[in-house]
């Protein structure tokens, strides 16, 4: 059963195919209004994310399908009774034809996919992956810039914990001749393992703390929120925060065709006065997210058509072919993951597998 | 974009037109069963109100449309991350064709409407307005009394904080020769600014604390709940509460064709024994509320058809023409609203506007 | 108006008719895909139960109907304002054509049914009844064993508080020549009143604490969870718990065609390693639950067709014929129920009725 855990589960070809579908949906919505008639999407949000949940639900309904939902796990979920992710998924397989899941633990989406007889879309597994956000970013870049290469990309704010930033770098690293300007305070610089990946691939980047000096060179500026909690020293936060908030005067220094992105929600890191600027693309991102989710839902139903059909109806429906890792020839090792946010820290009777020195669930490195 | 914030946003003609539609829906439901096929309503409840939310959702589904919902904001909402109402609305514009919003802060619905590219229905903004409740009251009066004029209207219970009471007076004040009997304890008498409005318009009213003395004269009795929290002195609450609870013996004193209303939920202010009385119309109010909401949804789609069509599909969809206040020639003043429950106390970068000495958001008076 | 409070509200004939419908739904889903077009089901969960709620919602949507939902009462419900079950139901009657309700208090479903103008399905009223769970159990037994008689049925775990266990015994007691092996620790043995019922009906059973000794004889093994909270002495829990957890080695002792059931959610009382065993039927139970709920929804609409049609549309719709108890000739007594978990302990102005010495709501015995 094909599922989407990470943006890199999709080839460059598949991403451009998804964007073609999304553009066609925008041009001819009526053509797709009944594409998923009679199908049910389950949105399982063990951690609340209104915007992402509503986007998936609107996407499915715009395709003629219907939705069942766990809007947030607090009390309302069996998981509070200590049920495993695997069990929850096997049950929801009985009710839904596809599952979009958000869960606080890293690797939970992979555990879901390995136990599911219906396609899983990872709507965020802790700080690990959130592929449909990146798909929204990509369609927006495509619509504003018309290309994914030869771009100067500024990433500003919390680059240390910013899951969306890491995921965007991963996605864009597959296209040639992009250059990155990493704009962040010392405390929140891009993690070494991401820079190592960029070095290996020979991707150009420079680091700075000065937004104004960086902005004139940029084709794309991706803003993220800086959270007080991230700072050991609150005074330091107070000192820095304003230098990473974008105002009309910052925008005056930018190229006329720069594309300004933000995963949202925003607090004050972009002034509302900037919203009217034609370069402000962050609300378009949300809209594009819905269209890309529609395209992805269509693709996953199509890719899994044969396998779903081949499953007998009724009681046998939940018997699950394992999610294919494509680990042929990799160095596999069974040992305990030490990341407290890894799903393997709580999931019952879960095999602890490391491939090439990384936990298959949260991808954190194996301790020597 | 036309939105509904307050009952007075609708002209007397529009209200009777809405009632005609509602009566036709009741007579020919099948005729409307697909009127909103393919349309999505978002119900955003930043404060829980099961009955109002379910009523909107049933209304939309009875028109063939579908629903995406934020059932309550506690934890499940981006607003907990400090997102502004304006941003939330601009995002939900990407997912839904119409938005029904309940929010604890006064004026939040206006802020939503000013930032929305889809029609907003105010489902309650704090203690400020709740127009669809009043629409339910009006259809019920119409169906029981056949007129909106020459009525003796009793309002009983908490007239100080009772938003529904103020809204009903506003709505009925536009019809001739109605007389009001205000039945409330001293602590909970109708606020002066409402009485001033009535005096200006020459509307007759008298005040009393004696339900039994008032009831024989009434064509309509509108009961509301008295909450212990409203009393400085709890002993006082205990002393008073029963004198504002309606029993079968009170009803024996009423006219044979009196219409008994209550916005619900009720606790004990009307005895369950009264429910069987043909004059008890409060459950009909809930049903009429659904029909009026159906009529309103249809009207807003119709009124905004042209403007919605004119907006280009896709990325530009969310660019918003400002909600038209019709402030031509009014005295406009920019200063800070002092009402702690006003949306302007928290919403980021919101212009503080007073028109003719009242805050445009919460309508509270400007401090000299 | 016909409602389903308890599994015994359905005759043996009706249950087999429901199973025939369910089997036909499994064989020909398309035939039923529009059976409930235009109909609305309300899922009112005053206590969370994700699995049960999603199952009802998927069932209704698979029949072409739509859903309005109260996913959980915490804060999001009017009931927090102290509204009675009767009032809530009368309101939801205005919005929905059928109601599935879960409520923490025993007898709440009966109060709902007595006040409803639409069919009520009891989705669990405290520790009292949960008929659709039992319907799932029965369809699974039917599909695995092909019969309801001449079976040796093992019930293991918490037999004292296990509502599903009592309900299954009630349902199976109507079929001939079944024998029960009750496998539980001393603290959690089957209550006397259930054993008395079995004795009266001459149903064979034996009690043991040894799972391994019992398992080889069983045609069916119904596992339930043992909760630490149930034990006065935690040490005792620690000592016992593992002897009531099923592993692959236990299964090695079982018949080749034994059917292993569990109402779920499971924590550790069945090892995940057992899931692959063809005798493990507990995920099938969940799937069968959806099909039986579909069959029940269809049946209740059919059974109530005439009565629903006869109700005038609009304001009179909520006037309710009382739920028929069939108490002809029973000894009826009016006195206060002493069960603190009985709905009569909180519901306003509710008649306290005992029939043949049992509270009609929670069925607990009248104190002398």
């Amino acid at each position: 059963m094909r599922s989407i855990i990470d943006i890199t589960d999709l080839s460059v070809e598949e991403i451009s195919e998804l964007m073609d579908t999304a553009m066609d949906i925008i041009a001819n919505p009526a053509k797709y209004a009944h594409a998923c008639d009679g199908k049910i999407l389950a949105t399982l949000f063990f951690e609340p994310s209104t915007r992402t949940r509503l986007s998936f639900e609107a996407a499915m309904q715009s395709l003629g399908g219907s939705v069942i939902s766990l809007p947030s796990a607090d009390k309302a979920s069996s998981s509070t009774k200590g049920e495993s992710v695997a069990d929850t998924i096997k049950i929801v397989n009985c009710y839904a034809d596809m599952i979009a899941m958000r869960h606080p633990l890293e690797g939970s989406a992979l555990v879901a996919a390995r136990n599911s007889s219906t396609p899983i879309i990872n709507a965020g597994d802790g700080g690990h992956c959130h592929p449909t956000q990146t798909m929204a970013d990509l369609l927006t870049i495509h619509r504003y810039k018309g290309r994914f290469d030869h771009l100067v990309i500024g990433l500003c704010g919390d680059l240390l914990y910013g899951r969306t930033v890491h995921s965007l770098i991963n996605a864009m690293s597959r296209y040639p001749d992009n250059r990155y300007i990493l704009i962040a305070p010392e405390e929140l610089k891009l993690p070494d393992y991401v820079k190592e990946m960029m070095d290996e691939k020979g991707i150009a980047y420079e680091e700075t703390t000065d937004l104004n000096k960086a902005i004139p060179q940029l084709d794309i500026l991706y803003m993220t929120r800086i959270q007080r909690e991230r700072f050991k020293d609150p005074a330091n936060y107070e000192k820095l925060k304003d230098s990473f908030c974008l105002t009309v005067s910052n925008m005056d220094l930018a190229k006329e065709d720069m594309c300004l992105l933000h995963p949202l929600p925003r607090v004050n890191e972009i002034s509302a006065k900037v919203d009217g600027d034609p370069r402000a693309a962050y609300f378009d991102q949300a809209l594009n997210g819905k269209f890309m989710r529609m395209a992805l839902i269509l693709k996953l139903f199509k890719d899994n058509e044969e396998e779903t059909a081949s499953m007998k109806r009724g009681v046998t429906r939940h018997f699950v072919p394992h999610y294919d890792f494509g680990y042929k020839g990799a160095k596999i090792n069974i040992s305990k993951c030490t990341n407290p946010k890894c799903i393997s820290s709580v999931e019952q009777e879960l095999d602890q597998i490391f491939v090439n020195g990384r936990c298959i669930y949260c991808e954190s490195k194996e301790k020597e």
Side-chain angles (χ1 to χ4, degrees), chain A residues 149-169:
Chain A
D149 48 35
H150 299 83
L151 294 167
V152 181
I153 303 167
L155 303 166
C156 180
D158 179 352
L159 307 188
L160 178 56
Y161 301 97
R163 171 180 62 186
T164 56
V165 165
H166 307 164
S167 190
L168 183 63
I169 292 174

Side-chain angles (χ1 to χ4, degrees), chain A residues 253-314:
Chain A
L253 307 172
K255 289 185 184 173
E256 289 225 325
D257 64 350
M258 186 188 79
C259 171
L260 177 60
L261 300 171
H262 189 300
L264 302 175
R266 132 186 88 175
V267 177
N268 63 351
E269 56 275 20
I270 299 178
S271 163
K273 304 248 181 319
V274 174
D275 296 359
D277 189 313
R279 295 169 292 186
Y282 33 90
F283 291 117
D284 305 343
Q285 266 171 289
L287 186 60
N288 289 329
K290 182 184 74 176
F291 293 128
M292 285 301 269
R293 289 179 177 105
M294 291 172 75
L296 181 62
I297 290 168
L298 289 170
K299 177 182 172 50
L300 284 178
F301 275 128
K302 195 163 162 309
D303 291 356
N304 292 304
E305 215 162 39
E306 207 170 289
E307 185 171 348
T308 302
S310 72
M311 289 189 199
K312 267 194 257 59
R313 244 194 250 85

Side-chain angles (χ1 to χ4, degrees), chain A residues 136-144 259 261 281 284-285 288:
Chain A
D137 302 342
L138 292 174
L139 181 58
T140 310
I141 293 171
H142 171 74
R143 297 181 77 178
Y144 272 75
C259 171
L261 300 171
D284 305 343
Q285 266 171 289
N288 289 329

